[in-house]
Amino acid sequence: LLVAGCGHADTPSGTAAPASQAEIFCAPAPEGFLRARLQGSIDAEIDWSAPVVAQCLGGPRPGGDGVRLVFKGAVDDSPLLIVIGVANLLPGTSARNVAANVTLVREGAGAFYSTQGDDKCAFDELRQAPVDDSAKAYRVEGRGYCTQPARAMGGDRAVLVSRFDVTAIVDELEEDVDPAQALCGAAPLLGVE
């Protein structure tokens, strides 16, 4: 909904989302990848890793009840942002059957899909290991799936993310940045956890 206005002519004259906020939301991580199968309104087999994907540095979910993994890439030459919110995961811990929320944003097109809750997707297994001795950043690796699609906000389209494999770097001390503030300078986006 709000993404549709990002960077478009309806933005008041002279105001734009500061580049520094967008960079904060997608601060580059030194490594990471996303492999996923998307079916429905977006139909693609994704294999994003450097230099094809801008692996963003992950961080805490709003409210601190888990972590948020962010991946930027393209499908059919159209920019796509995928956010995976991992519920109830403490820094440095590994777990099985971990609930997740998946959000997809077709940047610039106004298409926004979300599973809207932690009951439709899960990680079979999630492993975390410190990146270095500081224990402030963790490498997160896991394999997950969704049993129900991410539904379009304001429409009847849907995208099923039937499987996904991830490796990401999560900085537990990262400043919590609202995706809408970072991408649009607007109110919070529904469904991005």
Side-chain angles (χ1 to χ4, degrees):
L1 293 169
L2 297 174
V3 175
C6 292
H8 291 278
D10 59 343
T11 303
S13 177
T15 59
S20 61
Q21 284 185 347
E23 289 168 6
I24 289 170
F25 181 65
C26 190
E31 62 181 89
F33 70 79
L34 170 67
R35 293 184 188 106
R37 176 68 181 121
L38 311 181
Q39 299 167 286
S41 295
I42 303 173
D43 191 56
E45 187 76 33
I46 290 176
D47 187 356
W48 291 347
S49 57
V52 176
V53 65
Q55 164 55 46
C56 305
L57 190 63
R61 275 175 56 161
D65 66 339
V67 299
R68 182 167 47 198
L69 310 176
V70 182
F71 301 88
K72 287 184 79 168
V75 171
D76 299 327
D77 296 324
S78 178
L80 181 64
L81 177 75
I82 298 178
V83 182
I84 303 173
V86 185
N88 304 315
L89 186 69
L90 298 173
T93 62
S94 295
R96 292 183 176 272
N97 302 317
V98 182
N101 179 60
V102 176
T103 301
L104 301 96
V105 180
R106 280 271 201 192
E107 294 181 353
F112 180 84
Y113 305 86
S114 178
T115 56
Q116 300 182 24
D118 295 331
D119 60 340
K120 299 165 188 76
C121 303
F123 279 92
D124 289 323
E125 182 178 10
L126 211 63
R127 296 173 305 283
Q128 290 191 81
V131 171
D132 56 32
D133 292 336
S134 70
K136 293 180 182 176
Y138 296 90
R139 179 179 295 101
V140 177
E141 298 176 344
R143 172 170 290 195
Y145 61 91
C146 293
T147 58
Q148 295 182 40
R151 303 216 177 269
M153 303 301 283
D156 59 356
R157 297 171 301 168
V159 177
L160 176 64
V161 184
S162 57
R163 60 173 171 70
F164 49 90
D165 295 298
V166 301
T167 292
I169 302 297
V170 173
D171 183 352
E172 74 165 294
L173 301 178
E174 181 188 66
E175 228 14 72
D176 191 66
V177 177
D178 185 319
Q181 295 277 338
L183 295 174
C184 306
L189 292 171
L190 299 174
V192 178
E193 295 182 19

